[in-house]
Amino acid sequence: MIRQIQPKTTTRRDLLRMTGAAAAAGGAAQVFGTDAFAQTAVGKTKAIGFDAFTIFNPLSVDAVIDEIFPGKGTQLASAWRTRIFEYCWLRTLNQTYVDFWHILDDALVFAFKAAKIELKPDARDKFMDAFLRVKPWPEAVEALKSMRQAGIRLAYVSNLTPKMLTEMSQSAGILDLFEHILSTDRVKAYKPDPRAYQMAEVVFNLSRENIVFAAFGGWDAAGAKSFGLNTFWVNHVNAPIEELGVRPDAIGTTLTELARYVTA
């Protein structure tokens, strides 16, 4: 039996205070008005927290790198992605938090240094910008609309910055589907730190059994499940389950399958 991780450093009062401050400031990390989201789902699942990459395809960055470094796009992008998440985890452990845009840039520079490839400023800017221009997975928009139409409340629970999440969502025409934009900037701790998942529990004001977390990475699915959320792994890339001693409640390869799961 896997013991749930109980957050110790961030209280419910702390999170509510941070949420209220963000809303009052009128920033991108916005809490939407209640009228548009008054309807609640009838079944067990009343809200879903999404990792952003369940909706947006981060692999599209590979082709952008390949334009400048033919034949090396996938290799370099893979090294970049690996270092991104390693830096997220290390900075959380070391309590040296910087936002995800900063992490992206640091990891990009390191990946090219490790590959002994010169990264010129124009290429660096282009690759960073590519992360703001990632497109939704083919089924994502319609699946999100179907879940909202079913009365299920939606929120991002993401490592990305509020600005990144807002710009990506506006470009895809889906920003109005989300009740909350929950970035780890609020708690200064990246997933899978339990403080990150706790944001959904507190801001939705629901018990964990009524919230589903939709994960893109297997490690993220393990983190959410260990925290105690009902977890659906949207395994777009058909990766194996992580050997972390915990399994998600359900696995699919698209958001359409998630929609069926939460509305069953």
Side-chain angles (χ1 to χ4, degrees), residues 76-204:
L76 289 169
S78 179
W80 185 16
R81 281 190 290 269
T82 297
R83 210 62 183 176
I84 287 168
F85 292 105
E86 288 175 347
Y87 279 179
C88 286
W89 301 329
L90 288 168
R91 282 191 172 275
T92 299
L93 287 170
N94 294 337
Q95 299 182 352
T96 56
Y97 187 93
V98 294
D99 71 25
F100 195 78
W101 190 253
H102 192 142
I103 292 277
L104 279 179
D105 193 35
D106 286 347
L108 176 63
V109 170
F110 180 88
F112 273 76
K113 284 182 177 178
K116 295 180 171 55
I117 296 174
E118 181 183 5
L119 180 63
K120 294 182 178 179
D122 56 342
R124 182 174 176 176
D125 291 344
K126 184 174 183 177
F127 300 156
M128 290 288 289
D129 187 61
F131 255 93
L132 291 176
R133 300 180 184 277
V134 290
K135 302 298 182 185
W137 296 95
E139 82 292 347
V141 174
E142 289 306 313
L144 289 169
K145 289 179 179 178
S146 72
M147 287 182 271
R148 266 306 302 143
Q149 288 167 359
I152 297 173
R153 301 163 66 189
L154 311 182
Y156 285 109
V157 180
S158 174
N159 286 344
L160 276 61
T161 69
K163 179 180 178 181
M164 293 177 71
L165 293 167
T166 299
E167 289 189 17
M168 290 159 61
S169 299
Q170 285 177 331
S171 178
I174 59 173
L175 183 61
D176 62 344
L177 299 177
F178 289 87
E179 181 175 345
H180 303 288
I181 294 178
L182 303 177
S183 164
T184 52
D185 285 1
R186 291 175 182 242
V187 292
K188 308 301 183 190
Y190 288 109
K191 296 180 295 178
D193 189 290
R195 287 170 290 177
Y197 304 111
Q198 187 187 33
M199 293 189 297
E201 181 184 20
V202 171
V203 176
F204 279 132

Side-chain angles (χ1 to χ4, degrees), residues 230-249:
N230 187 339
T231 303
F232 188 100
W233 183 19
V234 187
N235 188 7
H236 282 291
V237 298
N238 291 307
I241 294 176
E242 297 286 354
E243 297 296 329
L244 291 171
V246 62
R247 298 173 67 90
D249 295 280

Side-chain angles (χ1 to χ4, degrees), residues 2-21:
I2 295 172
R3 181 174 59 87
Q4 291 184 357
I5 300 172
Q6 297 298 326
K8 297 180 180 179
T9 57
T10 304
T11 66
R12 178 179 293 269
R13 182 175 295 176
D14 291 335
L15 269 171
L16 288 173
R17 185 177 66 251
M18 285 185 281
T19 301

Side-chain angles (χ1 to χ4, degrees), residues 41-62:
V42 175
K44 179 179 178 181
T45 300
K46 300 188 181 300
I48 307 172
F50 291 87
D51 178 73
F53 295 131
T54 62
I55 299 167
F56 297 95
N57 180 5
L59 305 181
S60 60
V61 174
D62 298 26

